[in-house]
Structures are given as C-alpha cells and as structure tokens.
Amino acid sequence: MTVIYDVAKAAAERASKNGDMSYREWASVNNKMKALYTRLTNLPVHVVATAREAVEYEGSGTSLRKVGVKPDADKALVYVFDFVVRLTADREAESLADKAVAQAFYDHWAGQGLTSADMCKALDVERFGQWTNGRAAADKAVADWLQAQLAKPATPAPVAEAPSPLEGEGLG
C-alpha cells in the first residue's frame, strides 16, 4: 500500500504546476486511494494488504517525541480493513535498548510493585539496554522470576533473643 500511495502522490506532484501539491492534487490522490480500497474490500475473497511502517511523533519543533508507529500510507488505510496486524522482529523493533520500549517495560513492572533493581536481577543485567532478547522475552523473564520469588517459602526475619524476664532477679 505504501508503494501505491507513493506512486499516486508522485503522479499528482508531476501534474501540479509548480511541483507543490494543492488541495486539488491531494483530493485526486485521496479519491484514487478510496477507489482502490473500495474495489479491494468488495472482492469476494479475503484480501491481505501490507504497508511499510512509519514512526508516529507527537509535539512540535524540538519537543517531538516518538509515540508509536503507523502505516506509511494515507491516513484512511487503518480504517478500511477489518484487522490491522503489526509484525515485528522482536529483537530489533522491541529492544530494551530503545528508550521508549525500556520506559514502557519499566512502567509496566513498576506498576506491579517491582523496583528497577528487581527487574535487572530478573533479567540478569545491570542496565535494561544490556538485555538483547526483546521486550516479550524480558516480560516473560520478569514474570518467571516473580513467580519463583512468590513460590519461595517466607522466611521470618531473625529475632534477637531477649533476656529472660526472670534472670538477674535471683530467681534463675
């Protein structure tokens, strides 16, 4: 879908007078994409469409921050199909070396009452960025560690023996 969208935009740019797309050119691109979506969804078969992924940002100027990902196509794409599935390579896309992923990981487990030291101990690392197996594997490792901690029998804290209340009074 990304390539089709890019081709439609490039054709509209070439058709424009100065290379800048006006409202008319954008309407042409959007109408062509809507027509394609209508034809695809009206087919008497299941249709699988793929698109490249783009980073979605929030804010402006120097305060931009990554808030997620979206299809690299026109905005209507996610509303056309019944299912939208995102496939990732866990080690690359969901690495704890990515600050946003690490923050989400931390926030989730801190909400469960774990400290960052607990999380690092569960992952057997000193810093989250050292974990190389992806977010899903990190979540599983922490959940397994937590389950093991909860399965251990509680050991009471050592209590210092108090002197007998009878000692030192000539009765002992």
Side-chain angles (χ1 to χ4, degrees):
M1 299 311 291
T2 303
V3 173
I4 294 169
Y5 184 63
D6 288 345
V7 168
K9 283 192 319 185
E13 286 172 355
R14 282 193 305 277
S16 69
K17 294 178 182 173
N18 60 2
D20 291 333
M21 290 177 47
S22 68
Y23 178 77
R24 176 176 285 210
E25 283 86 18
W26 277 112
S28 171
V29 170
N30 290 334
N31 289 337
K32 286 177 183 174
M33 295 307 293
K34 284 181 189 177
L36 173 64
Y37 298 152
T38 300
R39 292 183 77 181
L40 289 173
T41 55
N42 287 337
L43 288 172
V45 295
H46 296 286
V47 174
V48 176
T50 62
R52 294 183 183 136
E53 188 173 84
V55 175
E56 189 166 20
Y57 294 99
E58 186 176 81
S60 62
T62 58
S63 65
L64 280 178
R65 66 182 186 96
K66 180 180 174 182
V67 293
V69 293
K70 62 182 180 178
D72 188 9
D74 73 309
K75 295 175 185 175
L77 180 65
V78 295
Y79 303 108
V80 173
F81 296 98
D82 293 329
F83 299 99
V84 176
V85 178
R86 180 174 178 238
L87 302 176
T88 63
D90 192 39
R91 289 179 184 225
E92 295 172 17
E94 297 291 329
S95 169
L96 292 186
D98 180 299
K99 290 186 182 202
V101 174
Q103 186 65 50
F105 170 79
Y106 172 81
D107 291 344
H108 170 77
W109 288 107
Q112 306 296 317
L114 296 179
T115 65
S116 58
D118 290 335
M119 293 175 230
C120 286
K121 189 172 185 179
L123 299 176
D124 195 26
V125 296
E126 291 179 17
R127 295 182 322 276
F128 293 159
Q130 294 173 323
W131 180 260
T132 59
N133 295 329
R135 167 75 193 268
D139 285 330
K140 182 174 180 350
V142 172
D144 291 347
W145 177 84
L146 185 57
Q147 189 66 33
Q149 299 308 305
L150 295 173
K152 289 181 180 177
T155 54
V159 178
E161 286 190 34
S164 169
L166 300 177
E167 288 180 19
E169 297 182 21
L171 301 173

